[in-house]
Amino acid sequence: MATIIDGKKISGEIRNEIKAGVDELVAGGHRPPGLAVLLVGENPASMAYVRSKTRACAEVGFHSRQINRPASISEEGLLRLVQECNDDPEIHGILVQLPLPEHIDSQKIIEAIDPAKDVDGFHPVNAGRLMVGLPGFVPCTPAGIIEMLVRTGTETSGKHAVVLGRSNIVGKPIAQLLARKGRGGDCTVTIAHSRTRNIEEICQQADIIIAAIGRARFVKGSMIKPGAVIIDVGINRVEDENSEKGYRLVGDVDFDEAEKVAGAITPVPGGVGPMTIALLLRNTLESARASSGLPSSLR
Ligand code: BQF
């Protein structure tokens, strides 16, 4: 049976480190880290994510500002809000909750964020920095996955990592991080996706699988090499009469099958999700340190 990787516990440790970082910053006479969260419309999942992010900020002593606007806001209106946050010295991180309504060009909004405040790491400047190996903000979910691998002592060097999914938010950046030199990296990386042929066989060759394809229970036990490490990024709603809400959340991995074969596996919920939030806080703390002229506290 696989070891269950407890993302909630690891993220709690990171949050404690962040609290200490805030104390140090404030003791030095600096402003606490400030995060602005922009929410457009009333998508229930987005509302829940935004709530949990602002709550997490309060818990570690950050200043946070939630800016809610109706789905009818214009692109220019949203661009102005982003600009106000860029100009605000109390704000070190700007997060625009995705997805945005159809009539707004998300890429245009992302590119309006000052790259120095882009704590989601979605601005092309930060994506480019990751690509060429320069320091910059790394998207929170991929950064959280690497942190999870490092803190569980999972060897990555020389291992074959198969990334399922090629999004800008998870697939592409996690592939870059796993392939880069150094701790939590040095993997041989395969990116597989909806058009990949023989995806089962490719998964069977993986020492590490990162499942981020957005299909409920896609990764079956038969696709997993015995002892492999399985990181499940999926959050899918499936019907469940036994639950109060009528649904429950499952990952992109068939957990019940996978845990019989894998060496280690992340659960959903309580796996990658909490790590995403912890790394958002860490990116925001790093941004605040940089704006105070302090060096990065990352190894
Ligand atoms: C957990 C997200 C898809 C699309 C947009 C903890 C989160 C999720 C799960 C969370 C996510 C996913 C976020 C758990 C933020 C991660 O206990 O398993 C936290 O809040 N996330 C988001 O902001 O936008 C998304 C997934």
Side-chain angles (χ1 to χ4, degrees):
M1 288 294 263
T3 305
I4 311 293
I5 302 175
D6 189 344
K8 223 170 159 170
K9 176 156 173 264
I10 302 169
S11 70
E13 290 161 11
I14 296 171
R15 285 183 206 213
N16 284 335
E17 294 166 16
I18 291 166
K19 269 186 211 162
V22 175
D23 291 346
E24 183 197 326
L25 199 60
V26 173
H30 302 287
R31 287 192 173 98
L35 179 69
V37 182
L38 278 70
L39 173 62
V40 178
E42 298 181 2
N43 176 321
S46 292
M47 289 164 76
Y49 291 143
V50 164
R51 257 198 314 276
S52 84
K53 289 171 192 180
T54 44
R55 196 187 326 117
C57 282
E59 280 167 13
V60 295
F62 285 13
H63 160 72
S64 81
R65 184 181 306 157
Q66 198 180 313
I67 303 169
N68 299 326
R69 288 296 180 273
S72 59
I73 190 174
S74 66
E75 194 174 86
E76 302 75 61
L78 188 54
L79 288 169
R80 268 195 301 275
L81 282 176
V82 169
Q83 197 51 53
E84 281 171 30
C85 293
N86 284 342
D87 296 337
D88 188 336
E90 286 186 5
I91 296 300
H92 306 101
I94 303 169
L95 181 161
V96 179
Q97 186 65 38
L98 302 178
L100 290 171
E102 288 278 350
H103 67 278
I104 296 177
D105 180 349
S106 303
Q107 201 56 32
K108 204 164 159 188
I109 304 301
I110 288 167
E111 289 180 31
I113 299 171
D114 178 349
K117 297 190 178 190
D118 170 39
V119 289
D120 260 341
F122 295 161
H123 193 289
V125 163
N126 284 313
R129 285 176 180 155
L130 174 59
M131 185 75 149
V132 298
L134 290 170
F137 291 116
V138 173
C140 305
T141 299
I145 292 169
I146 297 297
E147 203 60 37
M148 217 173 196
L149 294 172
V150 169
R151 289 184 188 236
T152 53
T154 303
E155 180 63 77
T156 55
S157 181
K159 302 288 181 173
H160 182 202
V162 171
V163 175
L164 301 175
R166 51 179 158 176
S167 72
N168 292 335
I169 297 176
V170 182
K172 280 192 257 180
I174 190 66
Q176 281 294 330
L177 291 167
L178 288 166
R180 77 180 174 178
K181 287 186 174 159
R183 218 156 57 113
D186 294 321
C187 285
T188 304
V189 178
T190 300
I191 301 178
H193 47 73
S194 55
R195 300 273 179 238
T196 296
R197 295 182 191 170
N198 307 323
I199 202 161
E200 290 85 0
E201 286 81 352
I202 290 168
C203 286
Q204 284 161 2
Q205 290 162 30
D207 301 304
I208 301 169
I209 295 178
I210 312 290
I213 22 165
R215 292 213 242 156
R217 303 188 187 109
F218 177 83
V219 178
K220 301 293 178 192
S222 60
M223 295 162 69
I224 297 170
K225 177 160 84 175
V229 175
I230 311 298
I231 306 295
D232 192 351
V233 186
I235 303 179
N236 308 287
R237 275 188 186 192
V238 296
E239 259 187 64
D240 181 2
E241 294 105 71
N242 299 327
S243 125
E244 236 167 70
K245 295 172 178 165
Y247 69 87
R248 67 191 180 96
L249 298 178
V250 301
D252 289 351
V253 177
D254 189 322
F255 185 90
D256 295 340
E257 288 189 17
E259 76 167 335
K260 294 179 184 130
V261 194
I265 183 168
T266 64
V268 176
V272 173
M275 296 297 295
T276 298
I277 307 296
L279 271 288
L280 169 67
L281 298 174
R282 187 158 91 185
N283 280 352
T284 306
L285 173 62
E286 286 301 311
S287 181
R289 286 181 64 88
S291 94
S292 291
L294 299 168
S296 166
S297 59
L298 302 178
R299 305 143 307 251

